[in-house]
Amino acid sequence: MDVNELFWQASIHDIKKGYKDETTHFTCLLCGEKIEKGIIYPHEGVLYEAEKFIQHHITAAHQSVFHYLNGLNKKMTGLTDHQSHILRLFYEGKTDQEMKEELEIGSAATIRHHRFALKEKERQAKTFLAMMELLKEQNQKEESFVPIHKTATMVDERYDVTISEEQQLLEKHFPHGIGKELARFPKREKQKIVILRAITKLFDEAKQYSEKELNAIIQPIYEDYVLIRRYLIEYGFIDRTDDGSAYWVKK
């Protein structure tokens, strides 16, 4: 299952842990790393069983689940940059005085106000989650939407695509199959995202590509491979070094 789909389908309990316990392995919900069960993993002189090693992976690769979630696009979290900054300071155990100095706030009362506002947001989120759970129970035939990739740079109505719509669009634009020649690159934003998501799945998430290697994968699909490459970066599917010497799938 796609790591974005796995993340959005996970329970809050699993998201808090940062990984999902599957039949034969543990999967990191943040990047898709899989740790096979039944194996002892040596690292820097320490032996880890599988679950401890996935926990170590999350710390080493992502600092913490909190820091990863807090770093997501604000359209994903519903937080302003300022609120994200304040939450991080709370999480890191900063005193009110330290927060006043870092945020250049003159009064401790302002920090108390931020605490209250975030608590209010928490209460609203719990109410909304309960309502959505009840809605799903009431209408179990509701069609599922394609999960939004966590590294999306813009989140709006262009991501309003159901799974059946996605399949129809892929069949239309890739008449010979995904990875074969693209019939045409669509103008509509919603359709662009569907096509770009499909192209991204052709890349190895664990690999870094040179520009030449990336172009070699894209060019057989669409003649204007530079356009596709630019959109992949613009929409947050692919990232690259500043000098363009390496490209990789964003996680």
Side-chain angles (χ1 to χ4, degrees), residues 32-66:
E33 180 77 15
K34 295 183 185 296
I35 303 298
E36 187 177 348
K37 294 179 180 179
I39 296 177
I40 299 300
Y41 295 86
H43 182 73
E44 295 181 350
V46 179
L47 299 177
Y48 296 88
E49 55 88 25
E51 187 162 17
K52 287 293 184 182
F53 195 63
I54 193 72
Q55 293 168 357
H56 170 77
H57 159 78
I58 287 170
T59 302
H62 308 292
Q63 188 174 357
S64 73
V65 176
F66 177 90

Side-chain angles (χ1 to χ4, degrees), residues 73-136:
N73 186 290
K74 59 186 176 182
K75 285 284 189 178
M76 299 289 188
T77 63
L79 299 170
T80 65
D81 292 338
H82 188 58
Q83 287 172 325
S84 293
H85 189 183
I86 290 170
L87 266 178
R88 179 176 59 78
L89 295 178
F90 284 150
Y91 182 81
E92 293 173 354
K94 300 289 187 181
T95 65
D96 286 0
Q97 183 59 39
E98 289 172 329
M99 290 183 67
K100 281 172 57 180
E101 292 173 2
E102 181 161 342
L103 297 170
E104 298 181 348
I105 294 174
S107 169
T110 304
I111 296 174
R112 288 196 298 272
H113 170 73
H114 283 303
R115 288 184 189 274
F116 176 82
L118 289 168
K119 283 290 185 182
E120 184 66 16
K121 199 170 186 69
E122 178 189 20
R123 288 190 286 269
Q124 292 169 346
K126 284 182 177 178
T127 303
F128 180 71
L129 281 173
M131 292 169 63
M132 290 302 294
E133 287 296 319
L134 291 168
L135 178 62
K136 283 189 285 187

Side-chain angles (χ1 to χ4, degrees), residues 2-4 68 72-73 76 147-155 158-159 189 192-193 196-197 199-201 203 205 227-240 247-251:
D2 178 82
V3 66
N4 291 298
Y68 178 87
L72 290 174
N73 186 290
M76 299 289 188
I148 301 171
H149 61 290
K150 304 189 299 297
T151 54
T153 52
M154 300 161 282
V155 181
R158 76 189 77 186
Y159 287 91
E189 292 296 306
K192 284 180 185 176
I193 289 171
L196 293 170
R197 182 188 291 112
I199 292 174
T200 302
K201 291 180 180 179
F203 303 120
E205 293 185 356
L227 175 73
I228 300 293
R229 191 181 70 218
R230 177 167 61 82
Y231 274 125
L232 287 170
I233 295 169
E234 183 178 326
Y235 283 81
F237 288 102
I238 296 288
D239 205 353
R240 66 171 187 170
Y247 294 76
W248 60 90
V249 176
K250 292 186 74 172
K251 299 178 182 179

Side-chain angles (χ1 to χ4, degrees), residues 163-182:
I163 290 175
S164 62
E165 284 178 317
E166 179 187 48
Q167 186 60 38
Q168 290 169 9
L169 286 169
L170 291 176
E171 290 174 358
K172 175 182 176 182
H173 288 88
F174 288 107
H176 305 295
I178 297 173
K180 305 296 183 181
E181 187 177 1
L182 183 65

